[in-house]
Amino acid sequence: MASPPPTLPPYSAERCIDMNDIAPAIELKGISKAFGPVQANKDISIRVMPGTIHGIIGENGAGKSTLMSILYGFYKADAGEVFISGVKTEIPDSQAAISAGIGMVFQHFKLVKNFSVLENVVLGAEDGALLKPSLRKARKQLTALSEEYELNVDPDAIIEDIGVGMQQRVEILKALYRQADILILDEPTGVLTPAEADQLFRILGRLKEEGKTIILITHKLREIMDITDTVSVMRRGEMTSTVKTSETNPADLAERMVGRKVLLRVDKVPAQPKDVVLDVRNLNVTDDKGVHRVKDVSFNIRAGEILGIAGVSGNGQSELLEVLGGYEKATGEIYLNGDQLDLTGDKSDGQSRRARGIAHVPEDRQQEGLIMDFAAWENTAFGYHHDPRYQRNRLLMDNAAILKDTQEKMDRFDVRPPNPMLAAKNFSGGNQQKIVVAREIERNPDVLLVGQPTRGVDIGAIEFIHQQIVALRDAGKAILLVSVELEEIMGLSDRIAVMFDGQIMGERLPNETDEKELGLLMAGMTDGEAA
Amino acid sequence: MDGMPKWADVVLVPVISLILAAIISVIVFMAIGQNPWEAIKLMAYGAVGTSDFLGYTLFYATNFIFTGLCVAVAFHASLFNIGGEGQVLLGGLGAAIVCIFIPWPHWTLALVAGSAAAALFGALWVVIPAYLQARRGSHIVITTIMFNFMASGLLIFMLAGPLKPAGTMQVATGIFPEATHLPSLHDLAGVFGLDLFGRSPVNISIFLALAACVGVWALIWHTRLGFEIRALGRSESAAKYSGISAVNITMIALLISGGLAGMMAVNNTMGINSPQLVDNAAGGAGFIGIAVALMGRNHPVGIVIAALLFGALYQGGAELSAATSVQVQIVVVIQALVIMFTGALDEMVRSPIRKIFLRMDRSSVAGE
């Protein structure tokens, strides 16, 4: 094992109080959990001191979520013990976790959309059969909590009317209302603008000052560096190291996560843009519910450049990709190499788009890019199953040819395990994405649409996928990149457009802007205000 | 891995389901004062005991292969066509019209035309439910089952009116012209000097059924259409992304499904000893097809095996009630138990077995 040894000494069973006689807020000893043959957590020990922010970082599938689910009572550990403030505690379900003072803020909020903030907070913690007294009591406490921690939440606001950042604060309030001393946040910034994330971190800092203990699960190195006191790194189900944040740096953490040196910056030469390949003019999209999703969007992409579209998810980027990919109707004009594309008729489907040289790595590989029950070889043909190379004769497909092609792609893209017969669902996120990227890039398209290319993908695979995208650019192709990860946009794009509420708020060059300015545009500031 | 090896999925689970059904059946026999061992022996004898009985078993199995394939093709597109019953009746109408009104010189031509007409009529009967499902989202289960009733009404109307020969009281067509009678396997065996299958109606359309199996297998796993059907069935959102038209594929899959059900009528009209179309020409085969497809895991090979099993059960049960005082209703109960355990309660058996395999997997990993 090449990983550095843990900096904290191993714990002995009889010692549950540390040298300063302060019991850790949480201590886990020897936690193991297996799902079938997969060992999700392997003999994990960790101690989190009260009044600190403790980061847990690791690649997808490293076992972070499993560990937290054990702590919150969703899973039962196969072995190991949990101590809360020095007392051995059994957590069979989430009720037990709540009464032990643990609160959890999930990545996907668990709020009733048409209830008010107050009702959501009280839900499940009512005092009796009658709602009124509970609500009255809760309103008082809520106001107090909201002021104490500067949460600024209106108790009577309806959830669906308030922003994502506010919804997240409601989740935090829910936990605090249930008297949580320990707050676990699972990838809390995934849905936030940089400004909202900063606000969240200020709140977390305030909670820490008040003596709360916070566990922050994330894969973003920057957040760990900014806000945590200590950080534990997980890899392949094991807790490989725990270090003081002040004694480490992003490169070191990345290496601990992946187990080898990782290039965090995208390595690329300046773009050499040629003719305009894709020209989008006055594009408008209205969805089934009549919501105007994309508003008068115009842009172009030249051969040999990457246009990055930044923005918080849900601001029209997905619809933009869907129109270009051929599965959403739109009005406006799109020209590909000077020829107008059909946006509403018979030729507006995905098959026609592919035939014209537009390849698409969709945002959601599990729902769109792949059929999870299909084997890798079937997924390689998916969307291109009319390709003449895949046909034996007019009637039958040539499954052997597809199999062979898949095997070659898997070798070139280092997909593991390199087994074309394995169902897509049995690959890790990164390898699934490699299957999609290999399928789309190896068609040598004129235009590549890429949505969230590295969402849920481990660092090692991110590096590889980024290299492939840049290589395609250098081969003179036009690339449209949509990502909610600002770092990815900044690192890959040759030009950056920011979308907010269906509109393009402005265009920037990556070396002439910074995350702050982009963040303002993402939050809806107009061009003038942000500059 | 999904937790269990393929052999367990395909063989072990159905076998355990059958054993469970058998255990309950034994209790049922004991409750009515029948010796279970004797009853099971009688059923087995009735199913395969003589060449004649075996012929009947194969005859019923032919029906179930068609309806099983019907359910399976729709199921690959995640559509539950339970209108097989009605589609069979319409298929029968198609075959009857072709046989009665066109003078065929030879049975081979009649077979081709009759099959085509049966498939066409079966497919047409699913057009409206398919369109409603594809375009309007009306649930195929509801519409197809409604269409079963309509098919039954339509058939009785036709048999009591336009297709009724003068001077009969029966709600049925007259006997089809001689040239449309399909040769039975007994006749075919006779050509080779063998005396097989007695007076049983098993006929040449069993080969049509097997050919349909090969056709469905090739369609589903070796053609672009089958690829698109399976893709749509597994993930509608992904199908949309790739440019597969959900509307078209839904329609096509259901039309093929209805056509397969319709073709069963060839066996059950042109193939029987006195070829004609009667009012209950489907005889429940449309519903048994659901169990056959479920037990056969929607694969043609599995469907053939399951169809043989249900054919044996059907024929054996009939013999049991003929030879003993066991009422025919009890036989229906036994058949229902098998359908219930292999079909509806499939997951009840499957999930504990999956868990056992998971545990074995884990201990073998831990032992490394």
Side-chain angles (χ1 to χ4, degrees):
Chain A
M1 198 45 82
S3 62
T7 48
L8 289 179
Y11 315 105
S12 51
E14 59 272 21
R15 230 173 31 144
C16 63
I17 292 177
D18 83 347
M19 296 170 196
N20 303 327
D21 268 7
I22 307 169
I26 292 185
E27 179 164 16
L28 303 178
K29 286 184 187 171
I31 298 281
S32 290
K33 174 74 187 172
F35 296 103
V38 182
Q39 190 77 32
N41 282 168
K42 218 180 292 176
D43 193 24
I44 288 186
S45 297
I46 177 180
R47 49 167 63 192
V48 179
M49 301 310 289
T52 63
I53 299 182
H54 191 108
I56 295 183
I57 196 164
E59 297 190 272
N60 272 74
K64 297 170 298 196
S65 296
T66 305
L67 187 64
M68 290 307 121
S69 297
I70 290 170
L71 194 50
Y72 201 62
F74 282 167
Y75 297 140
K76 195 181 169 322
D78 298 336
E81 296 170 325
V82 177
F83 294 84
I84 309 280
S85 304
V87 184
K88 186 167 184 295
T89 312
E90 293 289 332
I91 305 179
D93 52 35
S94 54
Q95 282 301 325
I98 290 168
S99 33
I102 300 174
M104 182 116 175
V105 176
F106 293 93
Q107 199 172 357
H108 302 286
F109 307 144
K110 314 235 180 263
L111 296 170
V112 184
K113 287 236 168 4
N114 53 352
F115 274 21
S116 71
V117 169
L118 187 63
E119 287 167 326
N120 266 291
V121 169
V122 172
L123 189 68
E126 305 91 344
D127 291 327
L130 287 178
L131 211 51
K132 261 263 166 64
S134 303
L135 286 176
R136 197 175 310 129
K137 194 182 111 199
R139 180 183 297 277
K140 216 182 285 169
Q141 284 190 23
L142 215 61
T143 317
L145 284 171
S146 183
E147 272 167 23
E148 188 179 354
Y149 298 109
E150 293 163 25
L151 291 169
N152 295 326
V153 174
D154 170 13
D156 295 313
I158 304 295
I159 295 298
E160 57 195 354
D161 298 337
I162 63 180
V164 180
M166 184 86 89
Q167 291 184 10
Q168 191 170 53
R169 298 208 287 278
V170 175
E171 285 283 5
I172 295 174
L173 259 180
K174 261 168 73 179
L176 294 176
Y177 181 74
R178 286 159 178 73
Q179 273 134 23
D181 286 318
I182 301 157
L183 209 55
I184 305 170
L185 294 105
D186 188 5
E187 301 279 359
T189 60
V191 290
L192 302 182
T193 62
E196 285 174 320
D198 285 344
Q199 191 179 8
L200 172 71
F201 288 160
R202 274 200 302 280
I203 292 166
L204 294 185
R206 184 103 185 98
L207 288 165
K208 175 181 142 183
E209 280 170 30
E210 299 291 326
K212 306 279 185 196
T213 308
I214 292 158
I215 298 180
L216 179 70
I217 303 166
T218 182
H219 67 277
K220 294 182 185 169
L221 296 165
R222 198 173 57 94
E223 290 172 5
I224 291 286
M225 297 310 298
D226 282 356
I227 188 169
T228 62
D229 299 305
T230 40
V231 51
S232 297
V233 182
M234 289 190 73
R235 173 147 56 98
R236 288 192 206 132
E238 289 180 84
M239 194 69 88
T240 52
S241 52
T242 296
V243 290
K244 282 210 170 63
T245 309
S246 53
E247 292 167 4
T248 182
N249 58 59
D252 173 49
L253 282 178
E255 192 180 334
R256 287 172 196 255
M257 274 164 71
V258 186
R260 63 177 171 85
K261 281 224 181 296
V262 183
L263 202 60
L264 288 177
R265 280 209 55 81
V266 185
D267 210 10
K268 65 181 174 106
V269 293
Q272 287 166 344
K274 305 236 162 45
D275 299 334
V276 170
V277 175
L278 191 72
D279 190 5
V280 175
R281 294 181 200 164
N282 302 100
L283 198 71
N284 280 282
V285 178
T286 306
D287 70 9
D288 300 340
K289 297 191 186 86
V291 181
H292 201 175
R293 291 289 182 189
V294 176
K295 300 171 183 167
D296 264 334
V297 163
S298 301
F299 61 86
N300 63 49
I301 313 176
R302 291 173 180 277
E305 77 170 346
I306 300 176
L307 175 69
I309 305 245
V312 180
S313 72
N315 278 292
Q317 310 97 309
S318 307
E319 287 78 7
L320 181 63
L321 281 179
E322 286 167 10
V323 168
L324 289 165
Y327 53 109
E328 176 75 81
K329 307 271 184 246
T331 58
E333 291 158 43
I334 300 177
Y335 295 90
L336 177 66
N337 293 321
D339 298 329
Q340 189 163 2
L341 291 182
D342 182 4
L343 296 185
T344 48
D346 285 348
K347 294 281 172 201
S348 69
D349 66 318
Q351 294 291 335
S352 309
R353 292 284 196 275
R354 283 186 188 82
R356 301 192 65 158
I358 299 181
H360 183 188
V361 177
E363 291 185 296
D364 189 336
R365 65 175 162 274
Q366 304 205 336
Q367 294 294 324
E368 297 184 337
L370 294 168
I371 294 180
M372 301 306 276
D373 288 333
F374 270 20
W377 71 270
E378 289 171 304
N379 273 302
T380 294
F382 182 54
Y384 297 97
H385 50 280
H386 291 285
D387 186 331
R389 287 189 297 142
Y390 290 162
Q391 317 302 327
R392 180 181 309 197
N393 50 42
R394 285 186 56 193
L395 215 55
L396 299 178
M397 293 174 82
D398 191 347
N399 291 351
I402 304 173
L403 212 55
K404 185 161 165 284
D405 191 34
T406 308
Q407 188 70 65
E408 287 166 10
K409 283 188 167 67
M410 289 179 118
D411 291 343
R412 274 198 297 278
F413 277 68
D414 190 27
V415 177
R416 286 179 223 175
N419 176 5
M421 304 300 284
L422 202 60
K425 63 183 172 195
N426 294 325
F427 288 92
S428 72
N431 284 303
Q432 287 174 356
Q433 189 71 333
K434 281 183 179 178
I435 293 173
V436 178
V437 172
R439 178 182 75 203
E440 301 298 329
I441 282 187
E442 298 239 315
R443 295 281 148 181
N444 203 19
D446 288 343
V447 176
L448 179 70
L449 314 169
V450 209
Q452 321 297 351
T454 53
R455 177 186 279 171
V457 169
D458 41 78
I459 291 193
I462 288 177
E463 192 185 359
F464 182 83
I465 289 170
H466 283 172
Q467 284 165 359
Q468 296 301 318
I469 293 173
V470 171
L472 194 70
R473 178 203 75 165
D474 293 341
K477 309 299 180 182
I479 293 165
L480 179 71
L481 167 74
V482 168
S483 175
V484 293
E485 303 279 351
L486 216 41
E487 269 178 76
E488 181 165 58
I489 292 279
M490 302 267 290
L492 270 181
S493 313
D494 301 311
R495 271 189 302 140
I496 300 170
V498 182
M499 272 187 92
F500 171 77
D501 193 29
Q503 288 165 297
I504 289 189
M505 304 304 291
E507 255 189 50
R508 294 286 185 276
L509 295 173
N511 50 2
E512 291 171 11
T513 186
D514 53 24
E515 295 207 355
K516 184 158 168 285
E517 188 190 18
L518 293 177
L520 289 172
L521 290 170
M522 282 162 70
M525 299 276 189
T526 53
D527 230 340
E529 288 171 317
Chain B
M1 294 308 286
D2 300 335
M4 52 180 173
K6 198 153 179 109
W7 67 267
D9 182 56
V10 179
V11 180
L12 188 61
V13 171
V15 166
I16 290 177
S17 298
L18 284 176
I19 290 171
L20 288 174
I23 290 170
I24 309 275
S25 303
V26 164
I27 295 170
V28 170
F29 282 128
M30 279 161 50
I32 59 165
Q34 184 75 34
N35 181 339
W37 180 237
E38 286 300 318
I40 287 170
K41 268 204 307 201
L42 260 175
M43 271 183 89
Y45 179 76
V48 294
T50 71
S51 187
D52 201 12
F53 291 158
L54 179 63
Y56 272 96
T57 293
L58 292 177
F59 172 75
Y60 293 127
T62 308
N63 286 344
F64 301 152
I65 289 174
F66 279 117
T67 52
L69 290 175
C70 151
V71 175
V73 168
F75 201 82
H76 278 291
S78 260
L79 296 162
F80 201 13
N81 176 12
I82 58 171
E85 197 77 2
Q87 291 140 25
V88 172
L89 294 183
L90 263 288
L93 211 50
I97 290 169
V98 163
C99 288
I100 292 170
F101 293 108
I102 301 174
W104 295 103
H106 193 259
W107 65 265
T108 46
L109 295 174
L111 175 63
V112 172
S115 310
L120 182 69
F121 272 59
L124 283 178
W125 197 243
V126 84
V127 164
I128 293 174
Y131 177 82
L132 290 174
Q133 168 75 55
R135 282 278 180 196
R136 297 277 172 263
S138 313
H139 206 290
I140 193 75
V141 168
I142 311 288
T143 48
T144 50
I145 205 160
M146 292 303 174
F147 267 67
N148 284 344
F149 292 103
M150 285 194 267
S152 177
L154 177 66
L155 186 70
I156 288 172
F157 168 77
M158 292 299 284
L159 293 181
L163 291 179
K164 191 164 106 84
T168 66
M169 295 298 288
Q170 210 194 350
V171 185
T173 64
I175 306 295
F176 296 169
E178 188 73 32
T180 66
H181 295 191
L182 298 181
S184 68
L185 289 197
H186 174 80
D187 299 342
L188 281 183
V191 173
F192 299 99
L194 299 166
D195 182 19
L196 287 174
F197 305 117
R199 280 201 34 76
S200 71
V202 60
N203 62 81
I204 195 115
S205 46
I206 192 168
F207 298 114
L208 187 65
L210 294 175
C213 285
V214 175
V216 166
W217 171 78
L219 168 76
I220 295 294
W221 285 282
H222 291 274
T223 67
R224 296 180 291 283
L225 177 60
F227 190 87
E228 297 194 345
I229 289 175
R230 288 189 296 129
L232 178 69
R234 296 302 174 92
S235 172
E236 204 174 334
S237 51
K240 195 174 151 197
Y241 149 82
S242 83
I244 293 171
S245 160
V247 172
N248 292 352
I249 297 299
T250 300
M251 290 290 294
I252 293 171
L254 282 170
L255 290 181
I256 294 172
S257 170
L260 285 163
M263 279 168 78
M264 182 201 119
V266 173
N267 186 45
N268 230 13
T269 57
M270 298 167 70
I272 50 182
N273 289 341
S274 47
Q276 65 179 145
L277 175 64
V278 297
D279 61 345
N280 72 335
F287 294 117
I288 291 177
I290 297 169
V292 168
L294 272 167
M295 193 175 173
R297 311 301 290 161
N298 298 307
H299 192 286
V301 173
I303 286 170
V304 169
I305 295 168
L308 286 171
L309 174 85
F310 277 94
L313 204 61
Y314 212 73
Q315 164 58 16
E319 286 307 314
L320 176 67
S321 63
T324 65
S325 62
V326 174
Q327 284 145 329
V328 70
Q329 284 83 355
I330 295 298
V331 174
V332 175
V333 168
I334 306 301
Q335 289 163 353
L337 280 170
V338 174
I339 293 178
M340 192 170 78
F341 275 97
T342 56
L345 297 181
D346 181 75
E347 198 55 29
M348 183 184 82
V349 175
R350 191 171 301 276
S351 89
I353 290 180
R354 188 184 297 128
K355 279 196 188 123
I356 291 168
F357 274 102
L358 273 177
R359 201 160 303 146
M360 280 164 41
D361 250 18
R362 191 183 309 164
S363 54
S364 71
V365 168
E368 274 168 13

